Amino acid sequence: MQSSLLTLARKTNSIIAHTAPGHVHPDDVHEEIMHTFMNLQKIFPRWVICTCRLMHKGFFYVSDNARELLGFDPGHLTSMLDGEEYFKRIHPADIEGYSKSLQLIAGLFQEEEPEERHKLRFIFNYRIQHPSGRYMHLHDEKAMIPLRNGLNLHFMLWRDISDETPFSGVKMAVYKDGHGNKKILEYDASAQAVSQLSPRETELLPLMKQGLSTKEIAHSLSISHHTVRNMRQKLFQKFQVNNAIELLNKITAPENIPSPGARYINEWKLPSAV
């Protein structure tokens, strides 16, 4: 676990190195930008808005609804985003997918021209631990606002969507502003895992989705119910879930799964909070 957190920290630092040669100081922040953040909070009261602590050491803005919506005191959130505690709060089963997302983003930054990077918006879905101990399904958007002297102001919009959308695995998408908003990169951890299913597992999942019992599935596949139980247990381990409901929430019938992994795709409209 500790090595995974260290890997995350290294990948984050790698992205930061490609984003800006140095940290933005308080004097670089325009008053109107901070005013914009405060207005955004009024317009989107169900979102927590904050600047990126890793990119901006000299100042930090966090909307005052952080405690109400995410359970974090603004001061605690400031310190949490300044060190490893943030990574420690990510669900252990989501570390690998989150790390893969950062790896893809690092590669994208290397390909993008520096003057184009402020046009990128990143959207993540993963689980993070609430101060109460439960895990939230977090919708996490990250974006940049160009400042003078070629610097960027980095900010995030967070929202707990646990009650709106069942968690189905780590997801990441990158959009780019320009002639319309384009989704240029996408990663879906669950879809990638589905691509690694064995032929027999591919037959098993639709039957589980129909709600068939172990014996009914065994009869349908002409195998023993002990084999079915073993296959189910291996699927739970593969997708890091505890039961069939969690498994089926995380994946759908294989024939409905899109091609997995990261890929470039056609133009999409940006489903952004702002």
Side-chain angles (χ1 to χ4, degrees):
M1 179 65 176
Q2 189 62 36
S3 62
S4 297
L5 295 177
L6 182 60
T7 299
L8 280 179
R10 286 174 175 170
K11 287 179 180 177
T12 301
N13 289 334
S14 173
I15 294 172
I16 289 174
H18 283 292
T19 304
H23 295 297
V24 178
H25 299 288
D27 291 344
D28 296 311
V29 181
H30 301 298
E31 231 177 86
E32 60 267 26
I33 291 178
M34 301 309 290
H35 182 66
T36 298
F37 281 150
M38 289 184 282
N39 283 336
L40 280 175
Q41 182 184 350
K42 296 176 183 177
I43 298 171
F44 302 102
R46 305 308 298 173
W47 292 80
V48 173
I49 306 166
C50 57
T51 50
C52 178
R53 188 65 173 165
L54 294 175
M55 291 301 301
H56 309 308
K57 298 292 185 180
F59 69 95
F60 188 65
Y61 170 84
V62 55
S63 54
D64 57 16
N65 56 2
R67 182 189 293 275
E68 174 193 356
L69 299 182
L70 299 179
F72 292 105
D73 176 86
H76 183 194
L77 193 57
T78 301
S79 61
M80 186 180 86
L81 291 172
D82 198 26
E84 287 189 5
E85 184 182 350
Y86 170 71
F87 298 121
K88 289 179 180 178
R89 284 189 174 272
I90 296 176
H91 195 291
D94 297 347
I95 291 291
E96 183 178 353
Y98 191 90
S99 180
K100 177 63 175 179
S101 297
L102 292 181
Q103 180 181 340
L104 294 170
I105 288 174
L108 179 63
F109 264 116
Q110 292 176 354
E111 297 173 2
E112 287 288 326
E113 296 295 330
E115 61 272 13
E116 293 288 307
R117 290 172 185 162
H118 72 274
K119 296 180 180 180
L120 301 176
R121 178 185 297 275
F122 309 91
I123 299 179
F124 294 80
N125 288 97
Y126 55 95
R127 291 170 293 182
I128 193 166
Q129 191 174 38
H130 187 276
S132 68
R134 70 177 178 88
Y135 280 93
M136 301 178 283
H137 181 185
L138 190 69
H139 180 103
D140 175 359
E141 296 198 22
K142 305 179 189 297
M144 294 170 268
I145 298 176
L147 302 177
R148 57 177 178 266
N149 302 324
L151 298 174
N152 293 313
L153 178 66
H154 298 253
F155 69 98
M156 301 177 291
L157 299 101
W158 281 3
R159 187 177 180 189
D160 178 6
I161 60 172
S162 304
D163 295 333
E164 304 170 23
T165 308
F167 183 73
S168 59
V170 175
K171 293 181 175 61
M172 180 275 294
V174 182
Y175 294 85
K176 185 174 183 179
D177 294 337
H179 301 293
N181 294 304
K182 294 182 179 180
K183 184 191 283 188
I184 61 171
L185 187 64
E186 184 177 52
Y187 171 73
D188 184 331
S190 293
Q192 191 171 66
V194 167
S195 71
Q196 300 169 4
L197 291 174
S198 69
R200 183 62 90 181
E201 288 172 334
T202 301
E203 294 176 336
L204 174 66
L205 283 169
L207 300 176
M208 290 178 62
K209 191 174 182 182
Q210 293 175 33
L212 299 183
S213 68
T214 300
K215 290 185 178 180
E216 289 172 328
I217 293 175
H219 177 74
S220 177
L221 298 180
S222 300
I223 57 179
S224 74
H225 68 278
H226 295 295
T227 300
V228 174
R229 287 175 180 170
N230 289 336
M231 290 171 58
R232 282 163 54 101
Q233 192 58 42
K234 288 181 180 178
L235 282 171
F236 295 163
Q237 294 173 357
K238 180 179 292 188
F239 288 91
Q240 297 181 307
V241 297
N242 298 314
N243 53 56
I245 294 177
E246 290 182 9
L247 175 68
L248 295 174
N249 279 338
K250 207 164 187 179
I251 58 177
T252 57
E255 63 269 23
N256 296 326
I257 293 292
S259 55
R263 65 256 189 210
Y264 286 89
I265 62 175
N266 295 327
E267 181 173 328
W268 280 40
K269 292 297 181 181
L270 173 62
S272 170
V274 296

